[in-house]
Amino acid sequence: MRIVICGAGQVGYGIAERLAAEQNDVSVIDTSPVLVNALRERIDARGIVGHGAYPEVLAEAGAAEADMLIAVTLHDEVNMMACQVAHSIFNVPLKIARVRAQSYLQPHWQTLFSTDQLPIDVVISPEIEVAEMVMRRIALPGAVDSVRFSSGTIALLAIECREECPILNMPLGQLSALFPDLGATVVGIFRDEDLFIPNSADQLYANDLAYVVVEQVNVSRTLVLFGHEEPEAGRIVIAGGGNVGLAVARSMERQKTSKRLRVIEADGLKAHKLADELRRTTVINGSALDPSILKEADIGDADLMVALTNDDQVNILSSALAKRLGAKSNLVLLNGRTYHELSRSFGVDSVIDPKSVTISRVLQHVRRGRIRAVHSVQNGVAEVIEVEALDTSPLVGRPLHELNLPDGLRIGAISRNGIFIRPNAQTRIQAKDHVVIFVRSSAVRQVEQFFRVSLEFF
């Protein structure tokens, strides 16, 4: 597949790195020679210095032969115009644009991105995606990560195995035998900076991060089984009233829950605007690094501090300070990779990576065939993919143990007409089943070849 990417920042670089590793023909455009040179040196992709919306630059990048254009520069208008030029001049079949300004995304302007207006096939709003991720984390405090598949009937949970986890040192096969009705499958284990797909003889150890595919109705029970019985936060303090913070606050107000919510915003004008827009939320103007401001927000009684500013240092330090002042837990947005490894030493309980969230949304549309959802884990080391099986598939009707699945792959669940099925060796996939698969990035090419006919996987 030939792909042109406009923007060589963190998101553009991450997408290019992933797609180039899968032997796609990738060209990346950016106005920064520094970013383009860094990309040329590190990954197998062409780098072009120039403006992503200029026809001659797109032509140099190979837009005339491209299957897809992905516009993720820092400027919405450049991204939108790049899609327009790619459509009008080069007839690029699929165009994806990152659009951050919420003004463009208002429901009453929804016809803006139609084919006869601004021809963008997929619009991605990182702020909305991240806000939805934050809401899922708040709803499941025992999970480090959580994503829903198959219309919400299947969930992926990333669960930290602490010393008190009751199922440590137990073969996973025994776990399945003890809880046959749980509907949970451990599809991946992250241990000592390595992610591997376990078999029935493997065991969980303290400090492991277990990736579990489970029926949605059994999520709470699964978390309890892993030793997590944390109650959902009732008193929440948000640091940062930007697009993400505002989206989270609005979502909470729409839910009409009994949560007590406070938002801290350093910019005075933005704080006043937030106060006008939010009806049941207390907005405080000040720095989240100021102990007096945190105390004004009743941080000592907070169940959760959510740091959502655009500054990673502010997010980490304000969260650490919040816990020191009495907050029970924290959730931190980190835009760069610099502080991810250090965050635990600062007392950070959980991290959200907006780059990973955006890349997951892009990959959902890059993958060919009946792909319904994609979620990237551990900075792209693996993916969880929901795919629909076709009646022409050689997988259909055969027991899983006869399929000779490639290494680095685990089928976590099957949804058949909305009914959850936990797969075992005798399970047979049927046409139109939705299959949730956990796969290491190193096995993606094998998966591509294995499923290229059966599931229209790529």
Side-chain angles (χ1 to χ4, degrees):
M1 182 182 289
R2 294 186 176 182
I3 302 169
V4 176
I5 300 173
C6 299
Q10 292 185 27
V11 172
Y13 180 93
I15 296 169
E17 183 179 38
R18 186 80 58 83
L19 297 179
E22 297 170 12
Q23 311 304 313
N24 292 290
D25 184 349
V26 179
S27 299
V28 183
I29 302 168
D30 200 283
T31 56
S32 169
V34 175
L35 291 178
V36 170
N37 288 333
L39 181 139
R40 289 170 177 165
E41 293 173 359
R42 296 171 186 169
I43 64 177
D44 184 17
R46 288 188 296 164
I48 295 95
V49 178
H51 194 289
Y54 287 178
E56 64 269 22
V57 177
L58 286 169
E60 183 183 352
E65 296 82 30
D67 301 293
M68 179 184 306
L69 179 130
I70 303 171
V72 288
T73 75
L74 296 176
H75 307 287
D76 292 350
E77 291 74 20
V78 173
N79 296 338
M80 292 187 288
M81 185 53 66
C83 290
Q84 180 70 71
V85 174
H87 172 82
S88 300
I89 298 180
F90 300 105
N91 198 30
V92 177
L94 181 61
K95 300 160 291 294
I96 300 174
R98 178 172 65 178
V99 179
R100 305 185 68 172
Q102 298 304 296
S103 178
Y104 290 121
L105 305 174
Q106 298 300 316
H108 47 278
W109 309 128
Q110 60 184 346
T111 59
L112 175 63
F113 301 113
S114 59
T115 302
D116 57 346
Q117 302 292 336
L118 277 173
I120 303 175
D121 301 294
V122 180
V123 176
I124 296 176
S125 169
E127 286 77 11
I128 293 176
E129 300 289 338
V130 170
E132 290 176 353
M133 178 66 74
V134 170
M135 293 300 295
R136 289 196 295 269
R137 297 283 187 90
I138 292 174
L140 293 174
V144 176
D145 194 4
S146 66
V147 186
R148 293 183 181 181
F149 296 93
S150 189
S151 302
T153 60
I154 299 173
L156 168 77
L157 305 176
I159 309 174
E160 183 181 3
C161 300
R162 300 171 180 169
E163 293 284 354
E164 62 271 20
C165 177
I167 57 174
L168 295 183
N169 307 311
M170 179 188 297
L172 297 179
Q174 184 178 340
L175 176 64
S176 300
L178 290 173
F179 304 96
D181 62 334
L182 184 61
T185 301
V186 179
V187 293
I189 298 175
F190 187 69
R191 176 185 300 157
D192 298 328
E193 303 303 315
D194 179 49
L195 180 68
F196 66 95
I197 295 177
N199 57 43
S200 59
D202 284 314
Q203 304 176 20
L204 292 170
Y205 301 139
N207 300 317
D208 281 355
L209 186 64
Y211 286 92
V212 185
V213 173
V214 59
E215 188 175 10
Q216 178 63 34
V217 297
N218 284 320
V219 163
S220 297
R221 185 181 168 201
T222 301
L223 290 170
V224 170
L225 179 64
F226 278 77
H228 289 274
E229 300 184 62
E230 298 91 336
E232 188 174 340
R235 296 179 296 274
I236 300 173
V237 175
I238 296 176
N243 288 333
V244 177
L246 176 59
V248 171
R250 280 175 172 166
S251 294
M252 289 185 180
E253 290 195 341
R254 282 196 298 268
Q255 289 179 355
K256 297 182 180 179
T257 62
S258 58
K259 295 186 190 323
R260 191 177 72 186
L261 181 62
R262 284 167 167 74
V263 176
I264 300 172
E265 170 54 48
D267 183 275
L269 291 176
K270 190 178 292 184
H272 282 91
K273 184 178 179 181
L274 286 170
D276 290 338
E277 293 192 31
L278 299 172
R279 294 288 176 260
R280 297 186 295 110
T281 301
T282 300
V283 179
I284 300 171
N285 179 211
S287 171
L289 295 175
D290 185 340
S292 65
I293 294 295
L294 289 173
K295 290 176 181 178
E296 184 180 346
D298 294 331
I299 199 66
D301 294 325
D303 298 310
L304 178 66
M305 164 76 161
V306 185
L308 302 173
T309 78
N310 289 324
D311 190 316
D312 288 355
Q313 294 183 29
V314 170
N315 290 343
I316 287 181
L317 294 176
S318 63
S319 296
L321 181 58
K323 289 190 75 172
R324 184 175 179 181
L325 293 174
K328 293 182 178 63
S329 62
N330 56 41
L331 175 60
V332 176
L333 180 72
L334 292 181
N335 291 283
R337 296 296 304 175
T338 306
Y339 298 107
H340 275 250
E341 290 75 16
L342 297 174
S343 60
R344 282 304 177 104
S345 63
F346 282 93
V348 172
D349 297 313
S350 188
V351 170
I352 287 182
D353 180 358
K355 181 188 76 172
S356 178
V357 174
T358 303
I359 290 175
S360 292
R361 283 282 284 115
V362 170
L363 289 177
Q364 179 176 340
H365 300 281
V366 171
R367 304 290 186 233
R368 292 179 177 174
R370 300 295 182 90
I371 303 302
R372 302 307 183 200
V374 175
H375 181 64
S376 178
V377 302
Q378 291 298 333
N379 199 34
V381 174
E383 294 175 18
V384 188
I385 304 173
E386 176 190 345
V387 61
E388 181 182 345
L390 301 177
D391 55 6
T392 55
S393 168
L395 299 179
V396 170
R398 299 174 59 193
L400 293 183
H401 71 87
E402 294 182 3
L403 296 181
N404 192 27
L405 297 172
D407 293 334
L409 163 68
R410 183 75 183 268
I411 295 177
I414 297 170
S415 178
R416 180 173 299 153
N417 299 320
I419 298 174
F420 177 90
I421 298 172
R422 183 182 181 276
N424 57 45
Q426 302 304 321
T427 301
R428 300 169 187 262
I429 295 174
Q430 296 183 9
K432 298 184 179 180
D433 281 355
H434 282 221
V435 185
V436 177
I437 305 168
F438 188 95
V439 57
R440 284 185 56 89
S441 59
S442 58
V444 164
R445 181 54 61 182
Q446 291 175 280
V447 172
E448 174 182 345
Q449 296 302 318
F450 191 84
F451 290 106
R452 61 188 174 87
V453 176
S454 60
L455 297 179
E456 281 191 344
F457 195 77
F458 287 78

